[in-house]
Amino acid sequence: MGEFKVHRVRFFNYVPSGIRCVAYNNQSNRLAVSRTDGTVEIYNLSANYFQEKFFPGHESRATEALCWAKGQRLFSAGLNGEIIEYDLQALNIKYAVDAFGGPIWSMAVSPCGSQLLVGCEDGSVKLFQITPDKIQFERNFDRQKSRILSLSWHPSGTHIAAGSIDYISVFAVKSGSAVHKMLVDRQYMGVSKRKCIIWGVAFLSDGTIISVDSAGKVQFWDSATGTLVKNHLIANADVQSIAVSDQEDSFVVGTAEGTVFHFQLVSVTSNSSEKQWVRTKPFQHHTHDVRAVAHSPTALISGGTDTHLVIRPLMEKVEVKNYDAALRKITFPHRRLISCSKKRHLLLFQFAHHLELWRLGSTVATGKNGDTLPLSKDADHLLHLKTKGPENIICSCISPCGSWIAYSTTSRFFLYRLNYEHDNISLQRVSKMPAFLRSALQILFSEDSTKLFVASNQGSLHTIRLLEGSFKHLHTFQPQSGTVESMCLLAVSPDGNWLAASGTSAGVHVYNIKHLKLHCTVPAYNFPVTALAIAPNTNNLVIAHSDQQVFEYSIPDKQYTEWSRTIQKQGFHYLWLQRDTPITHISFHPKRPMHILLHDAYMFCIIDKSLPLPNDKTLLYNPLPPTNESDVIRRRTAHAFKISKIYKPLLFMDLLDERTLVAVERPLDDIIAQLPPPIKKKKFGT
Amino acid sequence: MAALEEEFTLSTVPLGAGPNGLLGVEQSDKTDQFLVTHGGRTVILYKVSDQKPLGSWSVKQGQIITCPAVCNFQTGEFIVVHDNKVLRIWNTEDVNLDKVFKATLSAEIYRIHSIQGTEPLVLFKEGAVRGLEALLAEPQQKIETVLSDDEVIKWTKVFMVFRHPVLIFITEKHGNHFAYIQTFSSRTLSKYTLFHGQEEKSVIQNFTASVDRKFISLMSLSSDGCVYETLIPIHPRDPDENQRVVRSLLLKTVVAGNARSGVALTVLDQDHVAVLGPPLPASKECLSIWNTKFQTLQTSRELPQGTSGQLWYFGENLFMLHGKFLTVIPYKCEVSSLAGALGKLKHSQDPGAHTVPHFVNWETSRGYGFGSQNSEQSKRILRRRKIEVNVPPPAFEQLLSTIKKDSEKDIEVELCKFLAVKRTPDFHTIVGDIVLELLGRHTTEPSFYPRNSLMQLIQTHVLSYSLCPGLMEAALEKTDVQMLQLCLQQFPDIPESITCACLKIFLSISDDSLQETEINMESVSDCSDPVQEKMDEQTEILQNGFNADEQNCDSCDRKLNQKPQDAAEETTSCPVVPKRAALLRNAILHSAYSEMFLLPHLKDIPAQHVTLFLQYLYFLYLKCSENATMTLPGLHPPTLNQIMDWICLLLDANFTVVVMIPEAKRLLLSLYKFVKSQICICSELNKIEVSFRELQKLNQEKNNRELYSIEVLELF
């Protein structure tokens, strides 16, 4: 198959932000996740847990609460005191409304989905009416003396529970007055702590209020009498989050020790109707605080400071014991943070607030499989480019020739010209960007670095000709009438004739750049596109979907290729379909047109279209080199998928030239090392 | 459990049928090799496991072998006698018996005996015995006549007793039998008249014998089909006097009474005998293994082609003639359980070989044999047995009625019968009911305390505390420590209050009354000091897995004699007598408990007993810490955790009391020191943990590859 020199890069110092909130939407089976840097991500749980959308973070916008309202509208609130609604089509912020109550700590949507309640720093609980295009402040509830950290509606919508510091209040929604005030014991393991923070409350339809607090307690209250019914001490540290299932027969809590506890309502004795809450299962999938939990009908979802999003299916709720019943741990974004200049062997790393440009080293030595070659030149850190302003970088790209760098935040687009003089490098910003180039979701340079393609939100695609130190706007492909879906993925053919663009749900559009018109649309597929690329010479468009299917579509012929039809007919190997990270990058070998290179976070694969396809009985992944077997056996067992799992977690892999690969890894240990230390647990001794 | 394995045929050459076909089978000096002497002219050396002959020798035409060939274990040579007087000695290299060493003696030889550890012994037909060496030195020496006229030797055997051979031979004269014991250590010959007892009519057909330290146990199979046992002292008080020994019935009707031929008997081990012969008058001949202790048939194998009444047993193999071929049946006796000895164990049998069904024959002593399908008598017996065996409820009801009115002895008998029956799924509840019935009678009639029956029931391993709530209370009342120990070991669900009551009794019972009781000392046998080992120079007799009651007595006494002051150091001496230690250790420390429920009861124990128990626990701890694995020696020792938990519990419950007792002060001080040292260790470990973490970090860094490298990858 071939021997490669692999530049194994581990200096991409990327640390994902911790997870702050998760919100599960039952109708669309989507999960919204907000991180401590303000980023909000949308995962489609039906599409193999693919992260299909994201909203870039903002330094001043620490999200404290996230919730879905009627019509799949997503709201967040944070410490800047604003309530934000997100536009899930255009992938931008629709509007922000100041609640005028200081930092917002909590937010809850009414059971009918038409009212929004926020709990503020000043102790006020504010009710907003959700109108079709905005939210409207309605009134304040009785003001409490300290911040409102948690809120929960009674399913009938008549009462709410509000967790504060040291007490829980129950309000009647109609009057807005506090009905009960339930004091929470400050005692913590016999020692009086200063304060007991109610991190979460849940109001059940039978009037029970469940509270979780900083003293490690899960408490059950009777809201009618305002009395404590039951107390579970489950942790030596804070219990930080709670989520109840829709049926109210189970709930989940997360603790600062990284443990997630599952509580279930079970019968006291068999065939008795009396039921009680029992702590059934502990899960320890996190090392740090579990700041947020969610309860989907079939799974417990948790996230926290250790940046993993953990989806733990409940075995009793999963009907088919297939691969979907397995635990999922999502750590890395399902999009590319790295781009590469093949010509100059440069790598551009994208961080939240800066870019880094590195030049790969080189070697003159050769070796055999598995050897580490001595470096004649080490990798260089060429550039550290900080963004201006508080906004996170959405996307970035370096041109194949290495002379251009472009990146975009929510409000500004930046283009830089790089000049190389021997070892010196100079950077020159291209000023006076046109007004329409304000925010880009995806940036791509053509293979010869003369054209720049920008996918803006609102669905338009801009084509710009790059000249020495300046640029010229060529054309804007407008979205199809009636659609506003943003394009997230772009691919350009090496000959510069074709541009493919894909949104999150609709099909892939192929534009003819010469004639500046839409050439064709690849039929829409049920699962979102995770990566796409156009092969040289043949102009075959290769599309990877989140259900691990790979299609090959001939652009000139406007139809799927024969190979693609064959593999669809035969089906992929079951192990291939069971991989749980999406393919994030596809590339091609310049000299071997039959080869397709693609990778996900845990493997890298070269598909040789000339070889037979594997069936379910064949060994898909064979790491061992063929021994002295006869050529016949080797030929018989060889199949199209050549897989390597040496590099993981693999964030980026590309072919620099015929014999050279670059692989960017981000070991989990390095990420953990940069996290704050977890709560220390005593192992033995005094 | 005794079992017969698959039989195989040794000789492929058909032998002449009847006693003349085969003279004898003898061991050779190599294991697994046996000398088979054919009646007539041939001696063949067989390797049994390979089932093939290694060598074959014959005497010249006209000569006839008169005595089975034996192996001289001291030289490895083989000895055979032909024409009554001529000795031939050869070894495996020799081909022709004509050309080997020859010695002609002056008298006719009855048998040459050869056993490991001594020279071969030659028994002459006239009753004289000579060592082979002495004979060969002077072959023509005069051989004296010991036996009177018309007295003929019927059977003979030799044993090693205290490294000296002892030869026994049985003679018959006019229907009377005499036993002669020739000892070589003291060169004495003693004669005994075998007294037949009441059964004058019966004719003794076959003999076998085993030896104890002081007695030869001679078993004889009479023509009435019963096995009798005669104990003959090895060292008679007065060797010159003709003494009479009486035989007693050992097994009844093991073979059909009228069997004429093909009857043989051999001792397998202490408790088992093998009997060859037809079990019922009309049935085919059978090889059966009987347990003499329980009088049960263990297993049997039918020999449809008939046999010759000859049976040899050497090292796990039974040799006999089956039809015209020499057949070997390997015999195994594995460690058996009580249940196994009483009833039958599930035994896999191959469909080809027909075996007589195993059953418990409690009626052997009443004159009933075992059943086979084709005799009228057996049919009747079968019908009777069916009533007893297959329909347990009547037996159960009968047992209950027995319990209500009969004596303890009768109950025991009935109970034995009942327990022998196949277990039904609800066996445990039935056993529970029986216990409750027994206890019910005990409460109404306090003098009635069916201890043996209760013990037997507990040992069925199916009882639990909740099945028979009153049992332990009754035992507590009677201070029956043996029963309590058994209960504590067997019951999984004893309430803490009862455990504590047992503990109280175990601690308070006087040493004297302890001495009288029989307690399972298994776990503490090693705990006592070497005194016991010195005393015993003989090896203990293996008892076929069965724990005879009397077995423990000797060692118990010995252990009891050994007092704590014997031991040199105060710390290592056990503060309690071994029997009490056994009680505490076996029963109490192993029992399950919940701290919360046990603590209040522990408070009731008197202070000096608490101290004693604490001392004992501390002693156990010290014992534990003697070896690296922190375990106690012995069977099922309590774990260190159990010991520690009990120390903590006792201190928790009685700390204020213990603190005030002056004699406990030393103990508390040492415990305090111990805890302090543990804290020290923990803090040191904590320090080490930090260092180790640093090391781990360093190690990780080493494992972590460079941030950047160029590697070579080949995809296949």
Side-chain angles (χ1 to χ4, degrees):
Chain A
M1 176 53 69
E3 197 180 75
F4 298 97
K5 270 184 199 173
V6 182
H7 292 262
R8 192 168 187 176
V9 174
R10 289 159 174 249
F11 48 70
F12 178 35
N13 195 16
Y14 169 75
V15 181
S17 302
I19 291 171
R20 179 62 195 90
C21 316
V22 292
Y24 173 72
N25 186 304
N26 206 354
Q27 273 102 44
S28 60
N29 198 22
R30 278 178 171 78
L31 186 74
V33 174
S34 80
R35 296 187 180 261
T36 46
D37 66 350
T39 310
V40 173
E41 295 159 352
I42 313 287
Y43 292 85
N44 187 348
L45 302 194
S46 308
N48 216 358
Y49 307 94
F50 180 60
Q51 180 195 322
E52 56 180 12
K53 292 166 192 175
F54 86 102
F55 301 92
H58 192 281
E59 265 178 0
S60 68
R61 221 170 51 209
T63 321
E64 281 293 322
L66 195 65
C67 56
W68 294 90
K70 194 164 75 181
Q72 289 170 43
R73 293 168 70 179
L74 183 65
F75 293 90
S76 81
L79 296 184
N80 61 356
E82 287 178 339
I83 304 168
I84 294 163
E85 186 180 354
Y86 296 89
D87 186 334
L88 296 175
Q89 287 297 313
L91 302 187
N92 57 11
I93 287 166
K94 221 184 225 173
Y95 55 85
V97 174
D98 198 320
F100 297 105
I104 299 172
W105 290 98
S106 54
M107 179 165 64
V109 171
S110 69
C112 57
S114 59
Q115 284 170 312
L116 201 62
L117 207 59
V118 293
C120 305
E121 171 74 18
D122 63 356
S124 60
V125 178
K126 293 168 193 284
L127 185 68
F128 287 82
Q129 198 71 38
I130 302 174
T131 57
D133 52 353
K134 232 184 152 153
I135 54 169
Q136 182 72 48
F137 174 73
E138 201 161 287
R139 60 194 154 90
N140 273 326
F141 285 14
D142 284 358
R143 184 142 155 203
Q144 303 297 308
K145 67 174 189 289
S146 52
R147 63 177 71 145
I148 306 295
L149 287 147
S150 47
L151 283 170
S152 178
W153 287 79
H154 187 268
S156 70
T158 55
H159 288 79
I160 61 153
S164 184
I165 294 169
D166 288 337
Y167 65 90
I168 302 161
S169 306
V170 182
F171 293 92
V173 175
K174 215 170 186 180
S175 64
S177 56
V179 182
H180 282 295
K181 185 169 166 182
M182 301 177 290
L183 285 178
V184 178
D185 192 3
R186 287 183 178 187
Q187 294 271 312
Y188 166 72
M189 303 283 284
V191 185
S192 185
K193 248 191 164 185
R194 270 217 319 263
K195 272 169 183 165
C196 182
I197 303 159
I198 314 299
W199 285 118
V201 286
F203 212 146
L204 305 185
S205 47
D206 65 353
T208 305
I209 296 171
I210 308 167
S211 71
V212 296
D213 60 41
S214 61
K217 300 192 292 279
V218 175
Q219 292 183 312
F220 296 82
W221 307 83
D222 185 346
S223 67
T225 56
T227 50
L228 179 65
V229 179
K230 210 171 174 188
N231 183 15
H232 286 266
L233 183 65
I234 60 164
N236 289 330
D238 298 33
V239 185
Q240 291 183 312
S241 45
I242 178 170
V244 184
S245 72
D246 286 347
Q247 284 81 35
E248 296 188 357
D249 58 353
S250 98
F251 71 88
V252 55
V253 298
T255 73
E257 288 165 335
T259 319
V260 170
F261 289 102
H262 188 206
F263 282 74
Q264 280 172 295
L265 192 64
V266 292
S267 301
V268 179
T269 56
S270 59
N271 64 49
S272 99
S273 61
E274 194 191 342
K275 290 187 167 187
Q276 66 178 12
W277 287 101
V278 174
R279 189 176 83 190
T280 49
K281 293 182 274 282
F283 300 109
Q284 183 85 47
H285 300 303
H286 297 276
T287 52
H288 290 67
D289 302 32
V290 179
R291 297 293 299 271
V293 288
H295 197 311
S296 85
T298 56
L300 306 181
I301 300 155
S302 56
T305 313
D306 64 0
T307 75
H308 304 296
L309 178 68
V310 174
I311 299 161
R312 162 86 214 186
L314 293 169
M315 286 309 164
E316 67 268 25
K317 300 279 173 63
V318 181
E319 275 157 20
V320 194
K321 298 279 183 286
N322 62 3
Y323 201 68
D324 284 341
L327 173 85
R328 292 294 179 102
K329 210 167 190 177
I330 300 167
T331 310
F332 295 103
H334 294 162
R335 60 180 196 276
R336 267 166 59 192
L337 300 174
I338 297 151
S339 52
C340 155
S341 159
K342 292 183 183 182
K343 198 176 151 199
R344 288 188 183 268
H345 285 204
L346 299 174
L347 285 178
L348 183 71
F349 297 145
Q350 176 190 324
F351 296 85
H353 291 283
H354 71 273
L355 299 171
E356 279 181 15
L357 186 65
W358 290 74
R359 177 156 53 207
L360 296 172
S362 59
T363 182
V364 288
T366 53
K368 60 179 196 305
N369 186 28
D371 285 356
T372 302
L373 304 175
L375 296 176
S376 56
K377 197 163 139 283
D378 205 353
D380 282 335
H381 186 183
L382 297 180
L383 195 67
H384 183 100
L385 192 62
K386 262 188 81 71
T387 58
K388 296 182 175 72
E391 291 167 333
N392 286 11
I393 296 171
I394 302 173
C395 58
S396 62
C397 195
I398 185 166
S399 65
C401 68
S403 311
W404 300 91
I405 288 177
Y407 75 89
S408 172
T409 67
T410 316
S411 58
R412 290 176 80 181
F413 184 88
F414 298 87
L415 182 65
Y416 292 90
R417 172 84 185 166
L418 288 164
N419 288 308
Y420 301 89
E421 285 156 16
H422 305 293
D423 276 352
N424 291 329
I425 177 167
S426 63
L427 187 74
Q428 187 195 351
R429 185 175 167 200
V430 180
S431 53
K432 290 186 222 139
M433 296 307 289
F436 59 84
L437 269 184
R438 280 189 45 228
S439 167
L441 291 172
Q442 186 68 275
I443 307 167
L444 189 68
F445 289 93
S446 65
E447 199 80 349
D448 56 2
S449 303
T450 57
K451 287 199 182 89
L452 173 67
F453 306 101
V454 179
S456 74
N457 43 22
Q458 316 301 337
S460 51
L461 288 172
H462 307 292
T463 315
I464 292 152
R465 176 183 293 279
L466 297 169
L467 305 162
E468 190 74 20
S470 69
F471 61 89
K472 186 180 163 223
H473 177 231
L474 286 180
H475 184 73
T476 297
F477 295 106
Q478 290 302 335
Q480 248 69 2
S481 56
T483 61
V484 283
E485 194 191 44
S486 299
M487 295 296 150
C488 307
L489 290 166
L490 293 178
V492 68
S493 66
D495 60 11
N497 287 341
W498 309 101
L499 175 69
S502 156
T504 52
S505 56
V508 181
H509 305 291
V510 181
Y511 299 94
N512 188 325
I513 301 171
K514 281 231 175 85
H515 300 106
L516 301 175
K517 68 177 176 74
L518 182 71
H519 175 68
C520 62
T521 299
V522 180
Y525 186 66
N526 293 341
F527 289 88
V529 178
T530 66
L532 53 109
I534 300 170
N537 307 323
T538 57
N539 282 331
N540 287 339
L541 175 66
V542 178
I543 310 164
H545 291 274
S546 72
D547 62 344
Q548 312 297 3
Q549 297 288 343
V550 178
F551 293 94
E552 192 187 39
Y553 184 84
S554 168
I555 295 173
D557 300 345
K558 295 190 188 181
Q559 63 176 7
Y560 288 111
T561 62
E562 202 52 48
W563 180 80
S564 185
R565 286 173 207 275
T566 314
I567 196 158
Q568 284 307 315
K569 213 179 281 167
Q570 190 184 325
F572 282 85
H573 195 277
Y574 73 102
L575 287 175
W576 176 269
L577 297 176
Q578 281 178 0
R579 290 176 305 114
D580 57 2
T581 50
I583 288 166
T584 49
H585 186 58
I586 302 168
S587 57
F588 302 94
H589 198 286
K591 291 282 159 62
R592 295 178 189 154
M594 295 310 277
H595 287 189
I596 305 170
L597 282 77
L598 26 79
H599 78 86
D600 66 13
Y602 296 101
M603 65 101 213
F604 133 71
C605 173
I606 297 179
I607 299 177
D608 187 342
K609 292 188 283 181
S610 60
L611 287 174
L613 295 169
N615 60 27
D616 280 359
K617 289 187 194 86
T618 4
L619 187 67
L620 181 69
Y621 168 56
N622 182 15
L624 298 168
T627 46
N628 292 330
E629 286 174 282
S630 70
D631 225 12
V632 182
I633 295 171
R634 209 176 138 181
R635 213 175 296 138
R636 203 184 50 197
T637 53
H639 59 77
F641 290 74
K642 308 293 173 192
I643 293 173
S644 161
K645 294 188 180 181
I646 296 173
Y647 315 106
K648 56 190 174 183
L650 188 60
L651 296 193
F652 179 75
M653 185 135 199
D654 205 349
L655 205 61
L656 291 176
D657 56 50
E658 292 162 44
R659 300 232 150 265
T660 316
L661 284 165
V662 57
V664 181
E665 286 175 280
R666 184 61 182 148
L668 283 176
D669 287 346
D670 296 357
I671 294 178
I672 291 164
Q674 297 197 17
L675 295 176
I679 290 175
K680 189 179 178 291
K681 282 185 195 161
K682 280 186 197 168
K683 294 228 170 60
F684 60 84
T686 50
Chain B
M1 183 72 191
L4 291 175
E5 287 179 12
E6 189 53 35
E7 64 182 68
F8 53 88
T9 304
L10 205 53
S11 67
T12 47
V13 189
L15 300 160
N20 296 331
L22 194 61
L23 264 184
V25 179
E26 292 287 338
Q27 274 178 298
S28 114
D29 57 335
K30 294 187 184 69
T31 52
D32 202 30
Q33 293 184 9
F34 294 90
L35 279 169
V36 176
T37 311
H38 291 196
R41 294 168 46 212
T42 325
V43 177
I44 301 173
L45 181 67
Y46 282 105
K47 189 169 168 66
V48 165
S49 57
D50 293 354
Q51 304 177 31
K52 67 172 189 192
L54 297 177
S56 170
W57 299 270
S58 10
V59 292
K60 234 173 24 183
Q61 194 119 34
Q63 296 172 339
I64 183 159
I65 295 175
T66 52
C67 167
V70 294
C71 175
N72 184 346
F73 289 104
Q74 289 176 329
T75 61
E77 292 166 325
F78 305 128
I79 310 153
V80 76
V81 179
H82 64 83
D83 300 322
N84 290 319
K85 281 185 178 175
V86 186
L87 274 180
R88 291 282 186 178
I89 300 176
W90 81 101
N91 55 33
T92 43
E93 280 90 57
D94 293 316
V95 180
N96 198 336
L97 272 191
D98 261 352
K99 291 179 181 155
V100 301
F101 177 84
K102 175 184 175 184
T104 309
L105 305 180
S106 59
E108 290 193 341
I109 298 169
Y110 178 75
R111 174 69 71 88
I112 301 174
H113 284 293
S114 178
I115 53 170
Q116 212 96 38
T118 183
E119 60 167 334
L121 301 169
V122 181
L123 174 65
F124 291 93
K125 283 194 176 163
E126 299 301 319
V129 182
R130 289 284 189 280
L132 185 70
E133 296 300 318
L135 262 182
L136 292 182
E138 198 185 337
Q140 287 297 321
Q141 63 182 272
K142 176 96 179 70
I143 305 295
E144 75 276 12
T145 299
V146 176
L147 305 182
S148 54
D149 291 346
D150 301 336
E151 195 174 356
V152 286
I153 299 176
K154 300 296 278 185
W155 177 85
T156 174
K157 192 166 178 176
V158 68
F159 304 102
M160 289 298 280
V161 178
F162 294 124
R163 292 187 209 139
H164 291 287
V166 172
L167 192 137
I168 178 173
F169 57 93
I170 311 287
T171 61
E172 193 200 2
K173 186 184 181 184
H174 308 310
N176 292 322
H177 285 88
F178 304 95
Y180 292 83
I181 309 280
Q182 172 83 54
T183 57
F184 289 82
S185 51
S186 54
R187 286 266 158 207
T188 52
L189 180 71
S190 25
K191 183 181 177 186
Y192 299 90
T193 306
L194 296 185
F195 189 66
H196 282 215
Q198 309 96 314
E199 303 88 357
E200 289 297 338
K201 309 183 291 291
S202 64
V203 182
I204 296 177
Q205 288 181 315
N206 208 314
F207 292 94
T208 186
S210 62
V211 70
D212 202 345
R213 260 170 280 170
K214 289 173 183 158
F215 291 98
I216 291 173
S217 155
L218 178 72
M219 287 177 208
S220 50
L221 184 61
S222 284
S223 56
D224 60 355
C226 301
V227 177
Y228 296 90
E229 188 186 30
T230 313
L231 287 179
I232 303 170
I234 294 168
H235 301 289
R237 257 167 257 142
D238 189 357
D240 300 328
E241 205 179 316
N242 189 353
Q243 294 161 74
R244 280 152 61 111
V245 282
V246 181
R247 63 180 194 172
S248 57
L249 183 65
L250 189 68
L251 288 170
K252 218 165 183 185
T253 327
V254 291
V255 290
N258 56 354
R260 285 280 158 261
S261 63
V263 177
L265 172 78
T266 188
V267 172
L268 301 175
D269 55 43
Q270 206 169 3
D271 295 328
H272 293 90
V273 290
V275 179
L276 199 62
L280 289 165
S283 66
K284 296 258 173 68
E285 284 166 332
C286 249
L287 173 71
S288 342
I289 308 292
W290 288 81
N291 186 319
T292 53
K293 187 150 247 144
F294 296 107
Q295 310 203 341
T296 50
L297 176 67
Q298 298 281 301
T299 180
S300 84
R301 178 76 54 87
E302 195 168 299
L303 303 166
Q305 289 160 34
T307 181
S308 63
Q310 286 165 298
L311 184 64
W312 293 271
Y313 174 64
F314 296 109
E316 299 197 338
N317 288 314
L318 281 160
F319 297 81
M320 75 220 67
L321 209 56
H322 182 200
K324 289 190 169 183
F325 299 96
L326 179 62
T327 300
V328 180
I329 303 183
Y331 159 80
K332 280 247 169 70
C333 184
E334 274 146 22
V335 175
S336 61
S337 59
L338 181 59
L342 283 173
K344 62 161 200 162
L345 278 185
K346 202 171 171 162
H347 183 75
S348 62
Q349 41 178 266
D350 55 320
H354 169 76
T355 51
V356 171
H358 323 266
F359 52 82
V360 184
N361 197 340
W362 285 104
E363 292 178 304
T364 42
S365 15
R366 292 181 191 172
Y368 292 104
F370 51 98
S372 175
Q373 283 80 352
N374 46 12
S375 90
E376 277 179 38
Q377 190 196 349
S378 76
K379 268 180 194 158
R380 206 173 61 235
I381 295 167
L382 269 179
R383 222 171 292 128
R384 273 190 59 169
R385 189 168 301 113
K386 250 179 200 156
I387 293 164
E388 285 174 12
V389 175
N390 296 345
V391 196
F396 173 54
E397 274 157 27
Q398 192 195 343
L399 180 60
L400 288 189
S401 66
T402 316
I403 288 168
K404 284 207 179 77
K405 47 187 191 296
D406 287 0
S407 70
E408 289 184 23
K409 253 300 184 267
D410 293 337
I411 293 172
E412 272 172 48
V413 173
E414 282 295 318
L415 190 63
C416 283
K417 267 196 233 171
F418 173 76
L419 289 180
V421 171
K422 208 174 102 188
R423 290 186 178 192
T424 49
D426 57 346
F427 183 67
H428 61 283
T429 55
I430 293 178
V431 170
D433 288 345
I434 295 169
V435 173
L436 285 181
E437 196 70 31
L438 288 169
L439 290 173
R441 185 156 165 212
H442 168 68
T443 43
T444 52
E445 196 184 320
S447 61
F448 173 82
Y449 186 60
R451 191 158 173 281
N452 291 340
S453 306
L454 287 173
M455 298 282 268
Q456 205 171 355
L457 285 167
I458 295 168
Q459 275 161 345
T460 54
H461 297 272
V462 296
L463 280 179
S464 60
Y465 181 84
S466 41
L467 267 176
C468 46
L471 178 62
M472 289 191 76
E473 277 85 347
L476 281 170
E477 209 176 287
K478 292 265 176 193
T479 54
D480 185 348
V481 284
Q482 195 193 354
M483 174 107 77
L484 287 175
Q485 188 196 21
L486 204 57
C487 290
L488 282 167
Q489 281 167 1
Q490 302 279 349
F491 293 179
D493 56 345
I494 297 172
E496 282 80 355
S497 58
I498 300 291
T499 312
C500 209
C502 293
L503 176 63
K504 264 192 241 174
I505 285 193
F506 291 170
L507 286 170
S508 60
I509 189 168
S510 69
D511 285 1
D512 297 338
S513 40
L514 260 182
Q515 206 146 355
E516 288 158 20
T517 54
E518 288 163 9
I519 287 160
N520 184 355
M521 304 274 294
E522 264 176 6
S523 73
V524 286
S525 53
D526 49 280
C527 213
S528 37
D529 286 327
V531 189
Q532 160 209 2
E533 286 152 37
K534 282 174 206 155
M535 277 183 70
D536 200 353
E537 69 163 18
Q538 298 140 13
T539 48
E540 272 192 36
I541 297 152
L542 226 128
Q543 287 220 344
N544 186 24
F546 177 73
N547 240 340
D549 286 342
E550 61 267 35
Q551 189 197 353
N552 277 338
C553 285
D554 291 10
S555 56
C556 289
D557 290 341
R558 257 178 261 130
K559 282 168 204 159
L560 280 172
N561 294 338
Q562 175 238 323
K563 292 283 174 202
Q565 60 259 32
D566 288 359
E569 288 170 58
E570 190 261 342
T571 45
T572 53
S573 71
C574 183
V576 295
V577 293
K579 277 205 171 181
R580 200 192 298 282
L583 286 176
L584 294 171
R585 191 163 146 187
N586 274 341
I588 295 292
L589 292 190
H590 276 302
S591 58
Y593 64 87
S594 159
E595 274 179 37
M596 209 194 269
F597 299 113
L598 191 61
L599 270 178
H601 299 292
L602 283 177
K603 288 197 168 105
D604 304 338
I605 300 177
Q608 67 268 33
H609 290 156
V610 170
T611 327
L612 180 69
F613 193 28
L614 270 179
Q615 273 167 350
Y616 175 62
L617 287 170
Y618 186 62
F619 159 77
L620 282 184
Y621 163 71
L622 290 176
K623 272 265 172 199
C624 252
S625 37
E626 271 171 15
N627 60 8
T629 51
M630 300 292 261
T631 50
L632 284 168
L635 275 170
H636 311 300
T639 62
L640 187 61
N641 280 345
Q642 280 171 327
I643 297 165
M644 283 296 144
D645 286 348
W646 272 97
I647 292 181
C648 295
L649 275 172
L650 274 179
L651 286 177
D652 276 352
N654 299 296
F655 189 70
T656 47
V657 182
V658 174
V659 156
M660 302 300 286
I661 305 173
E663 52 264 37
K665 201 173 171 185
R666 263 190 81 173
L667 179 70
L668 285 183
L669 270 177
S670 41
L671 279 175
Y672 168 72
K673 271 185 207 153
F674 159 68
V675 171
K676 205 171 153 188
S677 66
Q678 292 286 306
I679 291 173
C680 278
I681 290 172
C682 281
S683 65
E684 291 302 315
L685 282 176
N686 272 332
K687 282 181 208 162
I688 294 172
E689 189 201 9
V690 176
S691 323
F692 272 130
R693 208 181 294 140
E694 287 304 312
L695 276 176
Q696 204 177 1
K697 238 182 244 169
L698 282 175
N699 200 23
Q700 267 173 6
E701 272 163 28
K702 215 166 118 193
N703 281 345
N704 251 349
R705 237 169 294 175
E706 301 281 314
L707 289 177
Y708 177 62
S709 59
I710 300 178
E711 291 172 13
V712 179
L713 170 75
E714 197 181 344
L715 282 176
F716 305 103

